[in-house]
Amino acid sequence: MLSGILAFIALASFFGLVLGLASVLFKVESSPVVDKIDALLPQTQCGQCSFAGCHPYAEAIAAGEAPINLCPPGGDNLIQSLADLLDVEVLQMDADEDANQGPTVAVIIEDTCIGCTLCIQACPVDAILGAAKQMHTVIESECTGCELCLAPCPVDCIEMIPVKQTVKNWRWPAPQYNANNQAAETIFTTLDHVLAENAKP
Amino acid sequence: MKQSIKKNQTQQSLADSIKAGLYKLWSFPGGIKLPGNKSQSNHQPITSAKTARQLVIPLNQHIGQAAEPVVQVGDKVLKGQVLGHAHGIISAPVHASGSGIVTAIEERPIPHPSGLSALCVVIDTDDYEQCVEYTPLIRENKVSEAQAGETRENSADEQSITALSNEQINSQIADAGIVGLGGALFPAAAKLHTAEKMHTDTLIINAAECEPYITCDDVLMRYRPEEVILGILLIKKVVGAKKCLIGIEDNKPEAYEALLSAISGYTHAHKTAQTEPQIEIIPVPARYPAGGEKQLIQVLTGKEVPSRGLPMDIGIICHNVATAAAVYQAVYRGEPLISRIVTITGGAVKVPQNMEVPIGTPIRDVLTQAGLNEEKIEKVIMGGPMMGFALPSIDIPVTKATNCLLISEKDELTTPPPAMPCIRCARCSDSCPMSLLPQQMYLYAKSRELDKLQEYNLFDCIECGCCSYACPSNIPLVQYYRYAKNEINNKTQERNKADLARKRHEFREERLEKAKLAKAEAARLRKEKLAKKKALDAEKAKQEEAKEASSDDKSDSTASEKSAANTTAANSADLIQEAIARAKIKKAQQQSQRKNTENLTEDQQNQIDEANERRSKNSQIE
């Protein structure tokens, strides 16, 4: 009887020690769910979700305080992948229909810029270069198109322009699957005339 | 065909013929037998196109970074002059293919399935055809002399090949702007440099040219076999390969013979030299896509290129015959890649032929020189019928990639049959040369399950079009794969961009936090300093007080103390009054200076009001 009790006390204290040590040694700094959600968000830091950035929004989603449909830059693809990750229902985007019209970048009209540095302070990703009373410019490759620099500009010299389509970023169109398929990849009329019919531009 | 091969083999030494007889061929899975349609265009010798009035030379005719233009509008350029320097590691320079004046450097439509424009140098040519002075590494021997077997001159050239250093040859190739002319357009110098470093032991020359209709490599081997062989020897030297195999489809017996006689002529001429060329020409069965890099390697060596890997991973490098000929031209003539052989064929062409066309010649010019009736043209396809694409217009220049122009006549094409549902007949998987599962990938591509597609090795697809051809339901399978590949690449790009944005955002937050802390710290320090100073002052005052008290009489001390206090109070009050007066004066001055905003017109006043309104709005938003 006594030996049994002692044995269990010994076991319990041993495991308690192991677990206690493990909780100190393998401590997880932040919630893994938040990181996973954050990894899916587009990181524009635009605040259209009414949170102060992508990470706060991820935290809110993880805590169940915000729905998954508040991110217009992420679009429907984001809602889908968030729904898959969190195993919740797919929701309709909570924004105007024309809110998201493809990627854009900010461009400063240099003739008008007065060098007030207000946009530099507003940019969440430090994509604007310049100094007081010097002309500012946007580093195009770093700009996320969040539009946060538009409001502070006192002379309205920042414009959002759509990203230009070039040969490098052009994508093949999705094939149409219908009865009048005009986009057949390869068709052969006769054996003598092997000719391809490709996607019409 | 077989007879001719045998006949040639008797010309070779006995050992060679045994070796050739014993040469084992492997096979690749899938593939399809296609009608060749090559005989229309491969009988005429190579004609050369006249230089067009205007040349439009794209700055990006290769994989990698576009060349950086070094000429300006209005510059006079000579034939062979550099228009753009290579920009980055994977890039190639671009040269003028005719002499004339640069009239524009602007975006022009280029041959691309999108029909989009890219930066091009436009040259209005003159009639002088002035060349820059070429600096060949080896003085060119007349090819005909080599064929006749002039031993002395040729051995000199053999020596000069071995005398050249790899760097010399490679930099000559890089300067000539040579890219893989088989279709991949990878800068040749970069490829050779990597191969040299990776200790590649086998060089495979792709002479298969498996796509129907195309014959540009075929005629090149028929009419300029010596150039091909010497080019191959140069490449072999740079790579340091021990053996070299030329894989040629067995439907090109004339080209095979021409190459054989060029090699035997070369060995005959170099009897004295210790080194043999060690080039083997191996006919492979004609089955599409035997000319695919990975397929040819598999047929010739039995080795498979690993999934998503490169031939270099298994010690093999693959080059096209046309690339070898270009290397020859660069080293023996110092000539950059400013022209290429283009097959012009198809139902609408009366005399199908191969033409050497300067890069940048508008396709319209090429077609008129080939004697085509423009009204009869229905569609122009660049490349072969299996992997080519329809050009949106014919006012597009010929580039280093243009191997074939396939022109269909009106009424030649029927409307494509409609795509029907997949019936899971598995003909596509039977025909796939990469052993993929096309029907499965098609379903996943249709439902946009991108992860699944990658599991099914979508990126191993070479887009050869066998599956689309085999499909009885006429499903445009390759289009689905291209689309899915684009989607996946796009997604990874977006992810990378998001990661970068996150990093920058986090860095900024950290910086702001640090700045805030630093500010707080500075404020604290200032306060401390002030407190210390105050304490010190107080102490000093006390000490003085004590001194005064000790030196003066008691009654005097109290009186003087009081008066001192009074005077300091009065002084400070005076000072304040003075400061206020100064500020008032300053303000008045400023106001008087501001008078330039008065006497404004109504328009100007309105503008100012508007601006003020905007500002107040903005501040509200903030």
Side-chain angles (χ1 to χ4, degrees), chain B residues 377-446:
Chain B
I377 299 170
E378 162 80 21
K379 182 170 253 170
V380 179
I381 292 162
M382 191 179 119
M386 297 300 281
M387 294 179 76
F389 55 87
L391 293 173
S393 95
I394 55 171
D395 293 311
I396 282 179
V398 165
T399 65
K400 292 174 186 175
T402 315
N403 52 359
C404 178
L405 293 171
L406 193 50
I407 301 118
S408 68
E409 208 176 3
K410 274 188 182 155
D411 311 324
E412 194 179 15
L413 281 172
T414 54
T415 45
M420 308 293 278
C422 173
I423 53 167
R424 293 261 184 189
C425 64
R427 275 193 215 173
C428 49
S429 13
D430 290 344
S431 68
C432 180
M434 295 303 291
S435 305
L436 301 173
L437 292 174
Q439 84 277 36
Q440 211 58 25
M441 296 200 306
Y442 156 67
L443 290 174
Y444 287 132
K446 222 172 117 191

Side-chain angles (χ1 to χ4, degrees), chain A residues 38-40 121 123-126 142-143 156 164 168 171-172 177 179 185 188 192-194 196-198, chain B residues 64 107 213 379 381 385 388 412 418 420-421 442 469 479 486-487 495 497 500 502 504-505 508 511 614:
Chain A
D38 195 38
L40 290 176
Q121 289 160 38
C123 181
V125 289
D126 291 336
E142 314 292 358
C143 176
D156 286 346
K164 201 187 158 212
K168 294 243 154 133
R171 293 191 279 158
W172 284 94
Y177 193 87
E185 174 61 30
F188 292 81
D192 297 332
H193 299 297
V194 189
E197 168 86 350
N198 253 310
Chain B
E107 303 226 321
Y213 283 105
K379 182 170 253 170
I381 292 162
E412 194 179 15
M420 308 293 278
Y442 156 67
Y469 178 71
Q479 267 202 355
N486 272 186
E487 284 290 293
R495 202 93 311 277
K497 200 172 177 204
L500 181 74
R502 182 189 298 114
R504 289 177 78 90
H505 182 63
R508 178 188 141 93
R511 192 189 64 224
R614 211 161 52 218

Side-chain angles (χ1 to χ4, degrees), chain B residues 21-43:
Chain B
L22 284 179
Y23 206 89
K24 193 181 170 227
L25 279 185
W26 283 263
S27 167
F28 64 89
I32 41 176
K33 195 90 189 157
L34 288 177
N37 281 299
K38 290 178 189 266
S39 54
Q40 295 99 315
S41 56
N42 64 3
H43 291 302

Side-chain angles (χ1 to χ4, degrees), chain B residues 513-530:
Chain B
E513 192 65 25
K514 257 187 200 163
K516 217 168 149 189
L517 283 178
K519 219 173 174 181
E521 179 71 15
R524 199 180 57 80
L525 282 177
R526 225 173 19 242
K527 247 183 197 169
E528 253 172 40
K529 220 174 169 183
L530 217 72

Side-chain angles (χ1 to χ4, degrees), chain B residues 148-346:
Chain B
E150 286 207 3
T151 322
R152 207 176 300 154
E153 278 205 33
N154 258 313
S155 58
D157 109 4
E158 157 71 10
Q159 272 160 13
S160 43
I161 285 190
T162 42
L164 289 175
S165 73
N166 286 353
E167 285 76 36
Q168 260 180 313
I169 301 175
N170 215 354
S171 70
Q172 187 83 358
I173 291 172
D175 292 344
I178 296 175
V179 298
L181 294 176
L185 301 175
F186 193 87
K191 191 170 171 182
L192 289 175
H193 188 66
T194 331
E196 195 189 339
K197 271 200 264 173
M198 302 250 305
H199 302 291
T200 313
D201 63 355
T202 312
L203 168 66
I204 287 179
I205 296 296
N206 191 341
E209 201 174 50
C210 58
E211 256 204 88
Y213 283 105
I214 309 178
T215 54
C216 60
D217 290 350
D218 189 3
V219 293
L220 175 74
M221 288 185 284
R222 277 191 204 198
Y223 298 105
R224 301 174 187 170
E226 292 81 12
E227 294 187 9
V228 172
I229 296 297
L230 286 174
I232 292 171
L233 285 174
L234 284 166
I235 293 176
K236 194 171 157 232
K237 172 159 181 0
V238 175
V239 174
K242 283 185 209 91
K243 62 175 176 180
C244 171
L245 312 171
I246 303 177
I248 182 166
E249 268 196 348
D250 59 13
N251 58 3
K252 302 183 205 22
E254 295 91 349
Y256 176 83
E257 271 174 46
L259 283 185
L260 263 190
S261 64
I263 291 182
S264 62
Y266 183 86
T267 33
H268 179 70
H270 295 91
K271 263 181 201 158
T272 47
Q274 289 151 349
T275 49
E276 270 181 72
Q278 288 185 329
I279 300 174
E280 282 179 83
I281 311 174
I282 299 151
V284 298
R287 181 160 56 108
Y288 184 80
E293 188 179 57
K294 289 164 186 172
Q295 281 66 40
L296 191 66
I297 289 171
Q298 205 172 351
V299 169
L300 293 181
T301 65
K303 288 183 194 168
E304 236 180 287
V305 179
S307 176
R308 298 209 74 171
L310 290 171
M312 277 177 216
D313 298 338
I314 50 171
I316 293 171
I317 180 173
C318 211
H319 267 290
N320 188 268
V321 271
T323 318
V327 168
Y328 165 84
Q329 285 184 358
V331 174
Y332 281 80
R333 289 188 210 145
E335 201 180 296
L337 185 57
I338 51 171
S339 68
R340 72 153 297 149
I341 299 172
V342 181
T343 307
I344 299 147
T345 185

Side-chain angles (χ1 to χ4, degrees), chain A residues 29-50:
Chain A
E29 288 295 330
S30 64
S31 160
V33 181
V34 173
D35 284 346
K36 269 186 194 165
I37 296 170
D38 195 38
L40 290 176
L41 296 176
Q43 303 301 327
T44 48
Q45 319 293 352
C46 59
Q48 289 182 63
C49 53
S50 80

